[in-house]
Amino acid sequence: MKDRPRPHQDHLVACQVCLREVPKSEAANAEADDYVLYFCGVDCHQAWREQEDEANK
């Protein structure tokens, strides 16, 4: 009996803001110097940007 090909399961990543796990292929990302941040959507990405702006003032 031959091995059947299995459907590719997408790796999950945690949103940087709310920590919700989303498939890597559907996550928005922002590249920093040495790492990549993942976000479940535009709202979390915007919240992160606002936090970063406040921290850098």
Side-chain angles (χ1 to χ4, degrees):
M1 183 170 173
K2 292 184 178 181
D3 289 335
R4 289 181 170 181
R6 295 183 183 208
H8 175 70
Q9 291 191 359
D10 203 2
H11 295 285
L12 297 177
V13 293
C15 173
Q16 184 69 24
V17 176
C18 69
L19 303 179
R20 188 176 105 194
E21 289 189 336
V22 293
K24 188 175 182 179
S25 63
E26 294 180 20
N29 65 52
E31 293 185 22
D33 291 336
D34 294 328
Y35 54 90
V36 177
L37 304 175
Y38 294 98
F39 303 94
C40 63
V42 176
D43 293 336
C44 280
H45 183 261
Q46 184 176 5
W48 173 78
R49 292 291 270 176
E50 290 170 1
Q51 289 173 357
E52 288 294 304
D53 289 346
E54 284 295 318
N56 291 327
K57 282 187 176 180

